[in-house]
Amino acid sequence: MLWETLLRVLVSGIANGAIYASVAVGFSIIYRSGKVFNIAQGEMLMLATFMAMTFFGMGMNHWVALALTATAMGLLGLGVERFVLRPLVGQSEMALFMATLGLLLVLNGLGVIMFGTEPRLFPDVLGTERWLVGTVSIKQSAVLGTALVAGSVAGLAWFFRSTRTGLFMTAVAESHQIARSLGVNVQRSIGLSWAIAGVVATISAAAFMSGRSVSPEIASIAFVALPVVLLSGLESIGGVMLGGIIVGVGQSMAAAWLDPYTEGGASLLFPFALMMLILLFRPQGLFGWKRVERI
Amino acid sequence: MQPIVMQQGPPPASSAAPIAPVLSVTNVEVRYQGSILVLKNVSLTVGEGEVVALLGSNGAGKTTTLKSISSLIQSEEGRVTEGQIHFLGAHIHNQDPVSTVRRGLVQVMEGRRVLEHMSVEQNLIVASAPIKANRQRLRQALDEIYGVFPILAEFRDRQSGYLSGGQQQMLVIGRALMAKPRLLLLDEPSLGLSPLLVHTIFKSIARINRELGTSILLVEQNAKVALGVAHRGYVLENGRIVMEGTRHELLNNEDLKEFYLGISATGQRKSFKDIKQYRRRRRWLG
Amino acid sequence: MYRACGSFSETYSDDMALMRTRWQWLALAILMVGLVCYPLVASSGWIRFATITGITIISVLGLQILVGLTGQVSVGQSAFMGIGAYFGAIAAMKFHMPFPLPILVGATGAAIVGVLFGLPAARIKGFYLALTTLAAQFVFQFTIVRLPDSWFGGSAGISVAPPVIFGVQINSTVGFYYLTLPFTVLAVFAALFIMRSRVGRALISVRDNDLAAEVTGINVIYYKVAAFGLASFFAGLAGGLLAYENKLAHFEQFTLFESIWYLGMLIVGGMGSILGAVLGAVSLRFVQEILALVSPRMAELLPGARYDIAFPMINVVLGVLIIVFLIYQPRGLAHLYRRGERYARVWPFPY
Ligand SMILES: Nc1ncnc2c1ncn2[C@@H]1O[C@H](COP(=O)(O)OP(=O)(O)O)[C@@H](O)[C@H]1O
Ligand SMILES: [Mg+2]
């Protein structure tokens, strides 16, 4: 009985953790390059989701539609960097952060205007099978989604460590000045990171939304992903997977064992309580680089 | 501290004035934030294959000079407000620093600025940004650097933040060579290193100049080691060039001997009062 | 501050005086009379607009003390308003306190919670700190919804009866306007007082340079956390008033969007000044009001849009304004105003 609950907790925790990780990796990629904390990451996920659904609705093949969405989201990322962040180069990190708050409002508003607030069903792009392990049923879409996220995160980690372009971007993450002195085009790296974050948002949408009912409110997933990115450390790419699993499983445990006594409050509050604890005791996270702004 | 004596003898290039300057800085004035005047009417040249030392005490404006040549000064809100800087015939002041690197002018910044969280080899690969490199050519370039600094090959997978100071200095110099520059700007490579390490580093600098033919503009407070490898030199003070000459002229100049080399005619260290005297005289000369 | 040359202040108190010339006193008097007479000329929709704007000004003033003075960004100001609203509602409805008391209870409660969420300021700053205020926003919402209904009314909220002052029940649009006005005026003067006091200067020195402030003997951590308390006190005051005005304390009135809007008001109005807070609150509430009026028409123009687009329109426009002001006018409307004033003063001989 306990084992069954534990298995169920693990399964749902890991699946949820994967989606948090995929959103968190978007935060990290953008933060690394330009020291911008893009609070509008969830809105990018929401736009990707609804853009893909619009293409599905036009009768497109699912994979073609997703590829098209990824392209459009990449361009959106480039546009945001070019027209919102680049004019603010040299301003404080806080000014950049506030600009992304403005971006959050804009993207959220546009999403609601274009797609409405009614929940809609996202097609089963990742299949509808269910497998029974003992008495616990596991959804094919969850397994594939988790694998997709894990694969993408691993791919990104490899990209930033082993390709020339990726290394240029990692250098930009360390120091704009050093990168510039070595002939790295810093602005292009930052633009590229926004484009990648747009593509990653599309991957998150494909991995997580399959077969779900979605509305623009899904953007708030990003806030649950905040403790993940803080836990893994803002610069770490690979670390988000572990961070995601910790938050996801922790949340599932809270849901299984505490929610019955708290009317569902424990699992909702868990990520934010965890975030407060991380901020207080280890703001640089587990794998983060540095010297967090501390007093 | 033990004085360092350079063993490899006078450098090969002739001590005569350069024929075709690679770099010429003409009457340059530099300001920070549009107002703080730091360099006044600075002129200097670096000839093909030359090592030129730029000497001066703390705060004289040496780093500012290098950064205004490489345009890295822009990230500190600095600008060349008067005069011109030419590199291989092209205007390079107040440009995008990346384009200057592409032209073949690389600055090694003060303070061993390695990319701490990246490995030695990753640091080197990043520096290949300005050149079009396929896998094979990248390998070749890396091996060339490892040839100059074998210790880097040994530690190629080590995170560069954990290297010793001397190794980091070799890494940043080696890294600058990745782009195969025509002119290298070195900012105080001896800073904070033991005399033995300084000796090794400067031997490498001389070798780079000799074997790769790279012209070098070398900023130093340590006049003695700098003049060990330089063909010519300038002395910068309060943002003005107050003295220039060949290696021998500078080594034999009484003022420089007294102040920068710390030896006076009577063989005693200078007192503060004498230095003040010297400064006053310099002001008239400059 | 610009004065004609030849007019100097002769004492320090002269120099710090708010009102320098007879004209300024006159302008203030005209403004006051205008505010008092406003309901005589305005429609009830615009009277309510003024009431809401007045309440907003109070909250944004608090945020100005936190963000503009100490440089600590908060994206949770509306959550602290909510806490004030709920505490006020409980004080009024459960403990049957007479009118101004629940508002004070709410403000005090919000200040206490604000200090709690501000405690991390002792260790972190920048957007890490902003994230703790974001957490406050969600913790507030989830706690209210999930706690037993008998505590905070759950998803229904808490109804608030109209206030009774000197035996008169206030229950009209005009009544709430006159109820809010003195609080807003008082809040403006309180904020002015705080900014110009020793505390205000300490807060500014904390923003400008932690270390230097510490060295000059200012207890940096104390002031950083105290700023959260002050900001939340203003927020709580505003929240309590809003609960009376709406006759309801409900968490959906205090969303993250509201918090971002308040921050937007500071950006648009101008960081660091009372004038900025007031200009920002008034102008953005005005923009919202206009959008709420025109968006039904715009929805008709949009193909297939059957829903109310006022709210998303407001988000889009405010978001764009935030970005545009950050890029092109980072010192906000207050700066433009002062420039205009200086220009007007020397007109027609600009030398
Ligand atoms: N970013 C800057 N802004 C303003 N002044 C600067 C800046 N950097 C350097 N300076 C000033 O310029 C002068 C020269 O500095 P620098 O070029 O670093 O000297 P050096 O390298 O010879 O020690 C110093 O007085 C220094 O204070
Ligand atoms: Mg220097």
Side-chain angles (χ1 to χ4, degrees):
Chain A
M1 192 53 209
L2 177 70
W3 288 112
E4 194 191 306
T5 316
L6 206 59
L7 184 63
R8 189 172 293 136
V9 160
L10 272 180
V11 167
S12 73
I14 291 175
N16 284 334
I19 177 70
Y20 300 153
S22 75
V23 177
V25 86
F27 277 119
S28 289
I29 290 171
I30 289 178
Y31 181 80
R32 279 160 60 96
S33 69
K35 303 294 171 266
V36 177
F37 197 86
N38 177 28
I39 200 80
Q41 200 64 35
E43 269 60 29
M44 289 176 69
L45 170 64
M46 181 266 281
L47 281 187
T49 303
F50 281 94
M51 208 183 284
M53 284 175 72
T54 308
F55 291 139
F56 296 152
M58 290 156 70
M60 254 180 234
N61 171 292
H62 286 165
W63 301 110
V64 174
L66 285 173
L68 218 56
T69 306
T71 314
M73 288 304 297
L75 289 176
L76 175 80
L78 281 179
V80 167
E81 192 278 326
R82 177 67 188 78
F83 296 108
V84 179
L85 279 309
R86 197 174 302 181
L88 289 170
V89 162
Q91 304 265 22
S92 67
E93 278 186 30
M94 277 335 292
L96 299 176
F97 176 66
M98 292 193 283
T100 70
L101 284 171
L103 188 64
L104 181 148
L105 294 185
V106 174
L107 296 185
N108 190 286
L110 286 179
V112 175
I113 290 173
M114 288 191 294
F115 307 115
T117 49
E118 287 295 304
R120 295 197 245 165
L121 198 66
F122 197 94
D124 296 296
V125 286
L126 296 182
T128 52
E129 292 279 318
R130 281 172 176 277
W131 298 306
L132 227 57
V133 177
T135 52
V136 180
S137 118
I138 299 179
K139 284 195 290 188
Q140 181 189 355
S141 60
V143 174
L144 288 182
T146 306
L148 183 58
V149 170
S152 313
V153 171
L156 283 166
W158 172 83
F159 170 76
F160 284 112
R161 214 177 38 233
S162 306
T163 67
R164 263 178 100 216
T165 309
L167 286 172
F168 298 158
M169 293 177 72
T170 305
V172 168
E174 272 212 36
S175 158
H176 286 188
Q177 206 193 18
I178 299 178
R180 208 171 271 132
S181 81
L182 296 175
V184 174
N185 188 332
V186 171
Q187 213 57 55
R188 187 191 297 163
S189 284
I190 296 176
L192 187 55
S193 72
W194 277 86
I196 294 176
V199 174
V200 167
T202 313
I203 294 176
S204 309
F208 191 65
M209 301 308 166
S210 175
R212 280 174 204 262
S213 161
V214 293
S215 76
E217 294 200 351
I218 55 171
S220 59
I221 282 179
F223 298 123
V224 187
L226 285 174
V228 175
V229 67
L230 290 174
L231 194 61
S232 89
L234 282 167
E235 290 88 359
S236 163
I237 299 291
V240 293
M241 221 45 218
L242 181 61
I245 287 169
I246 292 175
V247 174
V249 172
Q251 197 179 22
S252 290
M253 283 161 59
W257 290 307
L258 295 177
D259 276 1
Y261 312 104
T262 55
E263 303 200 21
S267 60
L268 284 174
L269 282 174
F270 171 78
F272 299 102
L274 183 65
M275 181 159 100
M276 293 292 284
L277 290 178
I278 302 166
L279 284 169
L280 273 177
F281 296 108
R282 200 179 158 83
Q284 78 276 30
L286 299 175
F287 312 105
W289 272 352
K290 40 164 194 197
R291 6 168 250 269
V292 170
E293 285 190 75
R294 289 181 75 161
I295 303 147
Chain B
M1 201 169 96
Q2 214 180 321
I4 297 133
V5 184
M6 287 290 138
Q7 296 297 344
Q8 57 270 38
S14 83
S15 52
I19 313 146
V22 177
L23 174 79
S24 66
V25 176
T26 323
N27 303 332
V28 157
E29 177 187 281
V30 172
R31 289 169 192 273
Y32 285 109
Q33 286 127 37
S35 61
I36 308 165
L37 181 60
V38 173
L39 293 189
K40 300 143 211 165
N41 204 21
V42 167
S43 296
L44 57 85
T45 59
V46 180
E48 180 81 56
E50 241 191 338
V51 180
V52 173
L54 181 59
L55 308 170
S57 51
N58 216 346
K62 306 180 298 297
T63 299
T64 303
T65 308
L66 290 196
K67 284 192 170 172
S68 48
I69 295 170
S70 62
S71 288
L72 286 175
I73 199 173
Q74 282 167 18
S75 49
E76 295 167 44
E77 291 181 65
R79 267 186 81 79
V80 174
T81 46
E82 288 284 340
Q84 311 210 312
I85 303 177
H86 288 267
F87 173 66
L88 299 174
H91 286 271
I92 55 160
H93 53 275
N94 300 334
Q95 299 284 310
D96 175 12
V98 173
S99 73
T100 303
V101 174
R102 292 235 163 91
R103 288 178 193 278
L105 190 161
V106 180
Q107 175 175 358
V108 176
M109 288 184 290
E110 193 172 2
R112 306 193 284 272
R113 304 283 304 278
V114 296
L115 295 160
E116 289 179 16
H117 298 92
M118 301 173 78
S119 72
V120 167
E121 186 150 305
Q122 287 174 334
N123 264 270
L124 296 175
I125 294 174
V126 168
S128 74
I131 54 175
K132 289 231 177 305
N134 55 26
R135 195 173 270 277
Q136 189 195 344
R137 259 195 278 169
L138 188 63
R139 194 69 260 159
Q140 220 173 335
L142 287 172
D143 288 339
E144 239 174 82
I145 309 300
Y146 292 144
V148 181
F149 297 110
I151 192 111
L152 296 183
E154 193 179 320
F155 290 134
R156 67 176 72 187
D157 292 322
R158 168 117 18 134
Q159 191 176 324
S160 66
Y162 294 129
L163 296 178
S164 74
Q167 293 160 350
Q168 288 185 337
Q169 190 60 55
M170 292 181 206
L171 175 56
V172 292
I173 295 176
R175 193 173 66 178
L177 294 176
M178 281 297 286
K180 305 195 187 309
R182 294 281 296 277
L183 175 66
L184 203 54
L185 311 180
L186 296 179
D187 199 346
E188 304 213 31
S190 77
L191 199 72
L193 297 182
S194 73
L196 196 68
L197 274 169
V198 171
H199 181 74
T200 319
I201 298 280
F202 274 74
K203 236 163 59 181
S204 311
I205 292 173
R207 218 183 116 199
I208 288 164
N209 170 247
R210 210 168 42 231
E211 291 177 9
L212 304 177
T214 315
S215 310
I216 295 173
L217 177 57
L218 170 66
V219 155
E220 265 300 335
Q221 283 190 61
N222 188 337
K224 189 160 210 165
V225 278
L227 291 174
V229 297
H231 306 109
R232 290 191 302 122
Y234 296 85
V235 178
L236 192 66
E237 209 171 274
N238 279 327
R240 293 177 202 274
I241 301 275
V242 293
M243 196 188 297
E244 65 172 285
T246 62
R247 170 173 191 268
H248 293 285
E249 285 164 2
L250 291 176
L251 279 172
N252 295 320
N253 182 289
E254 289 302 320
D255 284 335
L256 199 72
K257 255 197 207 165
E258 285 175 20
F259 187 49
Y260 289 101
L261 304 178
I263 13 171
S264 74
T266 57
Q268 283 171 322
R269 284 217 162 249
K270 295 299 299 180
S271 77
F272 178 67
K273 207 174 114 204
D274 294 331
I275 290 171
K276 264 179 39 187
Q277 192 76 32
Y278 156 84
R279 277 195 188 280
R280 208 167 297 140
R281 240 186 310 153
R282 288 268 58 95
R283 199 174 306 145
W284 292 112
L285 290 173
Chain C
M1 267 164 260
Y2 305 99
R3 279 171 289 168
C5 64
S7 92
F8 302 105
S9 36
E10 291 173 355
T11 63
Y12 179 69
S13 59
D14 252 11
D15 214 25
M16 294 307 288
L18 284 169
M19 298 296 157
R20 289 170 191 288
T21 63
R22 221 174 300 159
W23 293 113
Q24 277 170 325
W25 278 109
L26 188 65
L28 183 70
I30 291 173
L31 181 66
M32 285 301 175
V33 172
L35 286 173
V36 171
C37 297
Y38 176 78
L40 303 178
V41 293
S43 69
S44 89
W46 285 103
I47 296 172
R48 177 148 196 276
F49 161 78
T51 309
I52 300 295
T53 304
I55 292 172
T56 307
I57 288 174
I58 298 173
S59 187
V60 175
L61 282 170
L63 196 60
Q64 185 71 288
I65 291 171
L66 184 64
V67 183
L69 256 55
T70 62
Q72 308 181 98
V73 169
S74 161
V75 279
Q77 185 73 350
S78 82
F80 297 113
M81 275 177 80
I83 290 163
Y86 272 94
F87 279 14
I90 288 170
M93 303 312 289
K94 290 220 174 107
F95 297 96
H96 308 289
M97 291 186 191
F99 170 68
L101 272 184
I103 298 225
L104 287 179
V105 169
T108 312
I112 292 169
V113 180
V115 164
L116 285 180
F117 273 91
L119 282 178
R123 289 184 57 130
I124 51 177
K125 60 180 179 179
F127 68 82
Y128 287 90
L129 190 56
L131 293 185
T132 69
T133 62
L134 187 74
Q137 189 73 49
F138 289 103
V139 170
F140 160 72
Q141 186 175 334
F142 295 148
T143 310
I144 300 280
V145 192
R146 300 296 161 163
L147 283 176
D149 287 1
S150 57
W151 291 32
F152 292 113
S155 50
I158 304 176
S159 301
V160 182
V164 179
I165 303 174
F166 303 125
V168 184
Q169 196 187 53
I170 309 246
N171 201 5
S172 67
T173 314
V174 177
F176 279 115
Y177 176 84
Y178 285 119
L179 188 77
T180 308
L181 184 59
F183 279 99
T184 306
V185 171
L186 219 65
V188 168
F189 282 107
L192 269 174
F193 177 76
I194 290 170
M195 281 206 178
R196 303 163 67 84
S197 70
R198 208 173 53 80
V199 178
R201 288 193 298 275
L203 292 174
I204 291 173
S205 72
V206 166
R207 172 192 71 191
D208 292 344
N209 195 335
D210 277 1
L211 199 64
E214 188 84 63
V215 171
T216 50
I218 289 169
N219 186 338
V220 171
I221 290 176
Y222 170 81
Y223 281 106
K224 282 186 163 182
V225 177
F228 274 92
L230 275 173
S232 306
F233 187 87
F234 278 78
L237 202 66
L241 284 169
L242 195 64
Y244 274 114
E245 207 278 341
N246 282 325
K247 304 182 177 66
L248 179 71
H250 194 280
F251 58 90
E252 278 181 1
Q253 301 162 316
F254 307 107
T255 59
L256 176 64
F257 287 116
E258 286 277 346
S259 286
I260 301 178
W261 293 348
Y262 294 142
L263 206 52
M265 289 170 191
L266 283 192
I267 293 166
V268 169
M271 289 282 175
S273 70
I274 302 295
L275 183 65
V278 174
L279 286 179
V282 173
S283 57
L284 285 200
R285 280 292 184 217
F286 183 73
V287 169
Q288 289 182 350
E289 187 74 13
I290 297 295
L291 284 172
L293 288 176
V294 302
S295 58
R297 303 262 167 70
M298 290 171 70
E300 285 166 22
L301 298 177
L302 280 172
R306 281 150 276 109
Y307 37 87
D308 182 15
I309 62 163
F311 180 75
M313 275 305 290
I314 288 173
N315 272 344
V316 171
V317 172
L318 261 55
V320 168
L321 281 176
I322 289 176
I323 293 168
V324 165
F325 268 81
L326 279 172
I327 295 175
Y328 297 105
Q329 194 49 258
R331 287 191 280 179
L333 292 174
H335 178 66
L336 289 181
Y337 172 83
R338 289 198 200 96
R339 235 176 33 192
E341 189 190 43
R342 176 165 36 167
Y343 184 80
R345 201 158 285 221
V346 293
W347 190 86
F349 305 112
Y351 46 76

